[in-house]
Structures are given as structure tokens and as C-alpha cells.
Amino acid sequence: MRILVTGGAGFIGSNFIHYWLQNHSSDQIVNFDKLTYAGNLENLKNIRNNENYTFVKGDIASSKDVTQAMKGIDIVINFAAETHVDRSILDPAPFVITNVVGTQVLLDAAAKAKIKHFHHVSTDEVFGALDLASRQKFSEETNYNPRSPYAATKAASDHLVRAYFATYNLPVTISNCSNNFGPYQFPEKLISLSITNLLEGKKVPVYGDGLYVRDWLYVEDHASAIDLVLQKGKIGETYCIGQDNDIANIEVIKKILAILAKGESMIEYVKDRPGHDRRYAMDATRIKKELGWHAKYDFDMALELTIKWYQQNTKWWKKLKDRKFEEYYEEQYVKR
Ligand code: NAD
Ligand code: TYD
């Protein structure tokens, strides 16, 4: 199989490529990535010379780039996106271009190239927010109710994927996954930012009351879920992925502090995110029952592995916390 992985230089995409080459050694992977601030070829440097791996620099919103890249491809897996909610609040425009226009351009090229399977990687954020007091979870039946520019553009992309299935018979699947964590996550998201700030002796910024809940999944478990959807998933279907790890942000931070032997004086409560979704929680019954997926890593074990990785790879993340990142940090955390 020849697989086009878009966004393969990002956090989940690069972990997925490592996973795939380890588990499907006869397949060819073409990594197609624009290399935005979040794309980093260092994530893949140990497979750079692997004969089953090729990198192509390109933009999913460019019809010329994607038409060229689609030649000889059997399967497309679309990870490419602008992904950070806070950045989408500061500037929504690139989210519309990549997540909406880019997905449409990619779908169009895939339909024309008669791709055998187009898998779209999406998020639980398209479903909106759950009440803190309720025991409700998101599932494939939940109505879409996106509340941030990021979530709105991912919701639009999911609708476009379904439209290409219904209208042009493009063989698609979609997965909506909960929050991921693990190696190679850009140090702007809650867990990667908290670990790297603490390793630098800086405080962890906690939005609002810290009682917002996210459902965490180790990135390798996300890769194995997508693998099963590709092999056994029903064309036209959506699969929700998550592991019942719905935990308040402040509890996640306290666990990180405990592992790093730091005190709670390293917590800094900061101004809340506008429109902050109170709680996400995923019901992954369908993928577990129909495809036999289960997560391999429990949360505490995976958090320890992740912290160890950031401790052992300081060069990797220190480079990313550069002047440009400082400008973003200033705008996001200091000026507000
Ligand atoms: P990321 O921000 O780490 O990486 C995104 C990658 O896409 C980068 O390599 C970037 O260079 C590339 N990219 C951006 N715009 C592009 C364009 N126009 N053309 C080609 N490449 C482009 O993101 P991530 O956390 O790895 O997320 C990957 C996918 O998984 C996204 O679609 C995201 O919505 C989804 N997702 C993420 C999470 C999470 O917790 N991180 C959870 C569920 C779903
Ligand atoms: P994040 O990692 O940005 O993922 P998402 O918003 O896509 O779920 O944020 C996870 C949670 O952590 C969310 O409730 C916002 C909160 N958060 C903080 O409290 N402080 C921070 O500095 C960041 C980045 C996030």
C-alpha cells in the first residue's frame, strides 16, 4: 500500500508514521506537510533514510500540490490542520484556510484520483461542551455544536468529508478523538506546555478555576485506533476514540508536579479562555465493540513516559520555545 499522510510532521502525524512503519513494514508512506510552526522534520529524523518513507513539502489548500502528491496513492490519511484553540481565538483565518478549504481541496483531488480509502482525523471538540455535573459523554450520535473557531473549522471539515461520501461516493471514514498527549507534542498544549515550563523552572498557567475536564489519550493508542479503522472500519462511518480518562486540568497538573517533585507554588491561575468548553468525555463503545480496539496505556503510566521523554529530549523542545514562541506566549498569557 502507498499511503499519503498529510500533516505527518506534526505531533500525531509523526507518531502515526513511526507506528505505521513499525507495524506495516512493507507499506510506503508519503508524508505531505506544509511545515508550519507546528511541523517539524526532527520528529522523523531517525527514519529519514528509510526506503519506505518519503517527505513532500506542500499545502493541502493548494490543488496543484495535492494533485501531484496523490499520484500512485492508495490511501489518504488527513492529519493536516491548524490545531491550537488559543491560536484560533487570536487569529481564526488560517484555520478556515487549512481546515476547511484545505480539506475540500484534498477531498477533490482524492475523488479525482479514485483513492481507495480517505480517512479524516478529527476531534471531540466538534461536539461542543458537556456540563460538569452531568455523566453524559459524546458519541457518534451526538449533534455537532462547535464553540471555538478551531472546533468550527474541524466540524466543517467533517461535514465536507461526509458530503463527498454521499455525493461522489468517495470511500471515507472519520475518527473523532479526545485530547492526545505524548512525545513530539508542540509545547503549547496543556500537558507539553506544563512539563516544559516546569523543566525550565517556570510556572504552569491554569485557565480560570482549573476545573475544566478533558479526556486524555496517549498518542500511540490513537495511532492503533486509526490503524483498526483503516483495516476494519465501515466505509462512510465515524468512530469516536477515547479512554475514559476524563480528568480536571488541575488534577493533571498536580500529577505532573508530583512526578517532577515540584510544589503547588508552581501553579499560576491566569485569565480564562473565552468560550472555554467545560468538559469533554468520549464514549468509545463503537470502536471497542465493532473493531475490537482497546488502549494499551493507562493514563498515569503514559504521563510518566511522556515526562521522561521531555526530560530526555530537551534539545527538541527548547528549539521550539524560540523568539516567535515567546511573542505568542506574551500575547496569549501576559498581555490579556
Ligand atoms: P499539530 O499542530 O501538531 O500538527 C499539524 C501538522 O499539520 C503540522 O505538521 C503542520 O505543518 C501541518 N499543516 C498545517 N497546515 C497545513 C497545510 N495547509 N498543508 C499541509 N500541512 C499542514 O497537530 P496534531 O496535534 O498532530 O493534530 C493532528 C490532527 O489530529 C489534526 O487534524 C487535529 O485536529 C486532530 N486531533 C488532534 C488532537 C490533539 O489532542 N492534538 C485530538 C484529536 C484530533
Ligand atoms: P489544550 O491542551 O489547549 O487542548 P484543548 O483546548 O484543545 O482541549 O487545553 C487543554 C485544557 O487545558 C483546556 O481546558 C484549556 C486548559 N489550558 C490551561 O489551563 N492552561 C494552558 O496554558 C493551556 C494551553 C490550556
Side-chain angles (χ1 to χ4, degrees):
M1 284 287 176
R2 202 169 156 80
I3 304 172
L4 185 72
V5 173
T6 71
F11 162 50
I12 306 175
S14 60
N15 276 286
F16 179 82
I17 291 174
H18 286 299
Y19 167 92
W20 197 269
L21 290 174
Q22 275 159 24
N23 290 281
H24 304 272
S25 54
S26 59
D27 287 342
Q28 300 277 327
I29 295 270
V30 180
N31 174 13
F32 178 92
D33 198 296
K34 187 179 173 183
L35 298 182
T36 66
Y37 80 93
N40 186 354
L41 290 178
E42 295 258 316
N43 303 4
L44 299 146
K45 72 169 189 248
N46 63 340
I47 55 154
R48 204 173 32 198
N49 298 321
N50 184 322
E51 56 186 23
N52 290 340
Y53 169 76
T54 323
F55 173 70
V56 175
K57 187 168 182 210
D59 183 346
I60 59 163
S62 156
S63 175
K64 187 167 160 257
D65 288 358
V66 295
T67 303
Q68 180 66 24
M70 210 67 80
K71 285 183 185 150
I73 294 293
D74 300 298
I75 296 174
V76 176
I77 309 173
N78 183 28
F79 290 94
E82 289 291 340
T83 62
H84 191 33
V85 172
D86 294 324
R87 290 186 194 256
S88 83
I89 295 167
L90 293 171
D91 183 13
F95 288 72
V96 176
I97 302 299
T98 286
N99 301 1
V100 185
V101 178
T103 300
Q104 185 271 323
V105 169
L106 201 59
L107 286 163
D108 222 39
K112 283 184 184 130
K114 300 203 178 346
I115 291 300
K116 294 191 187 95
H117 191 157
F118 184 104
H119 182 73
H120 182 62
V121 180
S122 193
T123 165
D124 56 359
E125 308 199 20
V126 298
F127 300 122
L130 297 166
D131 284 342
L132 208 48
S134 86
R135 298 176 64 98
Q136 228 185 328
K137 292 191 176 226
F138 298 134
S139 76
E140 293 81 2
E141 271 37 87
T142 308
N143 287 336
Y144 276 37
N145 182 24
R147 292 163 29 86
S148 71
Y150 164 64
T153 57
K154 288 299 290 187
S157 69
D158 292 9
H159 292 317
L160 282 164
V161 174
R162 291 199 185 95
Y164 270 73
F165 172 64
T167 311
Y168 307 108
N169 295 319
L170 182 68
V172 306
T173 44
I174 299 177
S175 52
N176 294 86
C177 189
S178 61
N179 286 61
N180 283 213
F181 68 105
Y184 303 117
Q185 185 163 35
F186 194 87
E188 64 183 355
K189 307 277 165 70
L190 180 70
I191 290 185
S192 50
L193 182 79
S194 300
I195 298 170
T196 56
N197 269 17
L198 290 169
L199 292 177
E200 284 179 305
K202 290 188 188 144
K203 293 190 178 187
V204 176
V206 179
Y207 296 161
D209 57 13
L211 299 178
Y212 294 86
V213 171
R214 296 295 182 264
D215 190 352
W216 295 97
L217 184 72
Y218 191 57
V219 63
E220 192 183 312
D221 284 323
H222 188 181
S224 72
I226 294 173
D227 187 354
L228 273 181
V229 174
L230 286 170
Q231 294 194 45
K232 301 206 268 175
K234 196 171 155 216
I235 293 302
E237 278 295 352
T238 292
Y239 295 89
C240 284
I241 308 169
Q243 199 195 355
D244 299 321
N245 276 327
D246 28 326
I247 309 172
N249 295 338
I250 194 69
E251 295 308 320
V252 173
I253 291 164
K254 283 183 185 166
K255 281 177 189 280
I256 297 172
L257 288 170
I259 295 169
L260 289 173
K262 304 260 185 187
E264 289 186 19
S265 61
M266 295 308 281
I267 295 173
E268 185 175 25
Y269 285 91
V270 299
K271 201 171 160 199
D272 211 349
R273 172 187 281 174
H276 198 166
D277 288 341
R278 188 42 100 173
R279 182 170 77 90
Y280 301 149
M282 232 13 171
D283 175 354
T285 305
R286 174 179 286 171
I287 192 166
K288 286 180 185 161
K289 281 211 168 140
E290 292 180 14
L291 308 188
W293 176 77
H294 63 270
K296 198 165 122 188
Y297 294 88
D298 95 338
F299 181 71
D300 289 345
M301 173 176 76
L303 190 61
E304 288 205 25
L305 281 178
T306 302
I307 292 175
K308 207 173 270 169
W309 188 87
Y310 284 89
Q311 283 173 318
Q312 289 168 349
N313 291 278
T314 44
K315 260 197 192 154
W316 179 89
W317 57 263
K318 277 203 167 153
K319 257 196 243 169
L320 303 178
K321 286 188 150 179
D322 58 6
R323 241 182 75 200
K324 248 186 144 181
F325 183 79
E326 274 173 22
E327 280 165 25
Y328 157 73
Y329 204 85
E330 174 90 8
E331 192 168 356
Q332 174 61 24
Y333 294 97
V334 185
K335 282 194 195 152
R336 291 198 307 138

